[in-house]
Amino acid sequence: MTLILYWLKQKELLVFLLIVNGLGTIWGYKWYMWQLVETPPKFLPFVPDSPTASLFFVIVLIGFLYKKHFPLFEALAAVSLFKYGVWAVGMNIAGGFVTGSLNWSNYLLIFSHGGMAIEGLLYTPFYRIKPWHLVIAGIWVLHDVVIDYVFGMMPIYHAMDGYEQIVGYLTFWLSLLAIFLVYLLALRKNHPTLELSHTNGP
């Protein structure tokens, strides 16, 4: 575990993750653009789920690089990255079962969103989240479930048309799982410090 924490603190890795998540955020908002132009303005913040999650993490990474903590964004990033990362992986795999095949874009989405789910949790030892930060993050992701599956603003994925109710039900429980995992991993008394170092061996 000590070795993993050491590598997570490398400035080069943080810069790499910042670039990857920054580009992924831009690409994600572009991917949602066609749905956003048809979305009522009051629902706009809750439609582009994955790029907003990665945007939260971009803010966290910028803070780390400047030796600062933004605990609310740390909570929002950890919870939403896991939720939407796992959601996208599950939706693409389920879509493959429904349609009988997966194409290269499905595999790309599975790989990239799987990375999203993992990266937010990997940095939980360094977060400075307090209970009220997690409460707000929990309200955010649970409110998003309501917006998506009560008001019909869920990401459009035609392979799963007709399965909205079961997807909404599972998404609700996935949200609770994300909140619980971050609670277990991030709300601790003793945190390692994030003192940046350069890669030159442990």
Side-chain angles (χ1 to χ4, degrees), residues 10-179:
Q10 299 304 308
K11 185 175 181 179
E12 292 84 354
L13 177 59
L14 291 171
V15 171
F16 172 76
L17 290 175
L18 177 60
I19 293 171
V20 170
N21 281 273
L23 293 175
T25 298
I26 294 170
W27 183 85
Y29 281 121
K30 183 179 179 181
W31 187 88
Y32 272 98
M33 194 57 63
W34 64 278
Q35 185 174 350
L36 291 174
V37 298
E38 301 176 356
T39 300
K42 64 182 178 181
F43 294 132
L44 286 175
F46 303 99
V47 171
D49 298 329
S50 293
T52 299
S54 59
L55 177 61
F56 291 149
F57 196 52
V58 164
I59 295 171
V60 171
L61 291 170
I62 291 173
F64 284 173
L65 288 168
Y66 284 93
K67 301 180 180 180
K68 295 182 181 296
H69 284 276
F70 303 117
L72 179 56
F73 285 103
E74 291 171 357
L76 287 166
V79 173
S80 58
L81 282 173
F82 182 82
K83 174 190 172 179
Y84 300 123
V86 172
W87 184 92
V89 171
M91 285 290 285
N92 278 275
I93 293 175
F97 279 108
V98 171
T99 62
S101 64
L102 291 171
N103 57 37
W104 67 269
S105 63
N106 295 126
Y107 288 112
L108 177 61
L109 288 169
I110 289 171
F111 175 78
S112 60
H113 285 78
M116 280 178 52
I118 294 170
E119 66 180 358
L121 296 184
L122 279 176
Y123 279 91
T124 52
F126 301 108
Y127 297 157
R128 297 295 183 267
I129 297 173
K130 295 181 179 179
W132 74 268
H133 299 128
L134 187 57
V135 168
I136 292 177
I139 292 172
W140 176 273
V141 294
L142 290 172
H143 181 253
D144 185 69
V145 174
V146 175
I147 298 300
D148 281 354
Y149 299 100
V150 175
F151 293 94
M153 295 293 115
M154 75 287 288
I156 296 173
Y157 185 47
H158 292 299
M160 296 299 292
D161 285 349
Y163 294 90
E164 289 82 4
Q165 287 188 340
I166 185 63
V167 171
Y169 176 77
L170 293 174
T171 302
F172 168 77
W173 286 105
L174 175 59
S175 301
L176 293 183
L177 175 61
I179 296 166

